[in-house]
Amino acid sequence: MIAESSLLVEADLVDIRDVVPDVVLDIRYATEHNFVGRPIEGYEAPLCLLTHRAAAALAGVQATLRELNLSLKIYDCYRPQRAVDRFVAWAADLDDQRMKVEFYPNVEKASLFDDGYIAARSGHSRGSTVDLTIVPVPTPDQPAFDPAAPGRSCENPASERFADNSVDMGTGFDCFSPLSHTLNQNIRGEAMANRLLLKSSMKEQGFRNLSEEWWHYTLVDEPYPDTYFDVPVR
């Protein structure tokens, strides 16, 4: 059996903080604050692991944003296949609706597969995909997530959803909604400007956006386009 440390080397994964020390991390799947409502299998530490190539490209994005007194904030990076399997199992359990109010308020859970919100494979498992946003510098404090508090829809205006310390992107992160589509015409003004700033900054360094998720980017020249790793994040 190959040691997990050897598999990490084989996958070419590095801690983003070793490449971009000032990036802000909010690794949601290592916490209760995600659409499942509990820490996800495979996330044994709140770290962002990426391939060397993707991490180096993100360093270029961060350099651009620093000049604007802004910073990247990362929600998710490399995702083990076992975590993707957990998402699939969760989506099939129609009785578990704990996080519906916040993350999929207007989507039926039975439709998550057909609508493309959940899939059996994720680009994140290839190590060069990242979910992220932009925060001001200095970065405001973010209130701790309280699982006992009433849920607030991710589709609400920024002042009425979870108090994320990012700039307004029009919806919360991981919002299963057409409003999360990057160029959704119902998103206007400052929120759309923020989406376009993220999109242009990422594109300049070689990332492409998933049009259905304003936060989701994959390195175009990813080194492992056909490999799905399953090493835990640790």
Side-chain angles (χ1 to χ4, degrees), residues 203-222:
K203 182 178 180 181
E204 184 178 351
Q205 297 299 326
F207 288 91
R208 66 176 179 273
N209 174 237
L210 178 66
S211 61
E212 291 82 8
E213 298 178 351
W214 58 257
W215 56 83
H216 181 113
Y217 286 85
T218 298
L219 189 69
V220 173
D221 187 24
E222 59 179 315

Side-chain angles (χ1 to χ4, degrees), residues 6-99:
S6 297
L7 289 173
L8 282 171
V9 172
E10 178 186 339
D12 191 33
L13 297 175
V14 294
D15 187 333
I16 190 62
R17 284 275 179 83
D18 291 337
V19 182
V20 191
D22 60 337
V23 74
V24 178
L25 298 183
D26 185 4
I27 306 300
R28 294 285 183 88
Y29 300 138
T31 75
E32 294 179 290
H33 192 200
N34 57 64
F35 59 83
V36 176
R38 59 180 176 271
I40 305 302
E41 288 86 341
Y43 287 85
E44 299 178 10
L47 301 175
C48 166
L49 304 181
L50 289 170
T51 61
H52 282 80
R53 193 177 299 173
L58 273 192
V61 180
Q62 183 77 337
T64 297
L65 294 178
R66 280 193 201 106
E67 297 180 358
L68 304 173
N69 292 320
L70 299 170
S71 170
L72 291 172
K73 174 173 130 170
I74 297 175
Y75 296 114
D76 192 35
C77 296
Y78 159 71
R79 180 183 306 166
Q81 180 60 44
R82 69 192 69 184
V84 179
D85 295 342
R86 169 48 51 196
F87 293 161
V88 171
W90 167 84
D93 181 4
L94 301 184
D95 292 330
D96 184 351
Q97 302 273 344
R98 285 181 296 163
M99 305 303 286

Side-chain angles (χ1 to χ4, degrees), residues 80-123:
Q81 180 60 44
R82 69 192 69 184
V84 179
D85 295 342
R86 169 48 51 196
F87 293 161
V88 171
W90 167 84
D93 181 4
L94 301 184
D95 292 330
D96 184 351
Q97 302 273 344
R98 285 181 296 163
M99 305 303 286
K100 178 175 175 58
V101 171
E102 179 172 358
F103 290 99
Y104 51 109
N106 294 305
V107 177
E108 293 304 317
K109 194 174 185 184
S111 301
L112 293 180
F113 286 110
D114 290 342
D115 291 347
Y117 294 113
I118 299 293
R121 293 283 195 180
S122 170

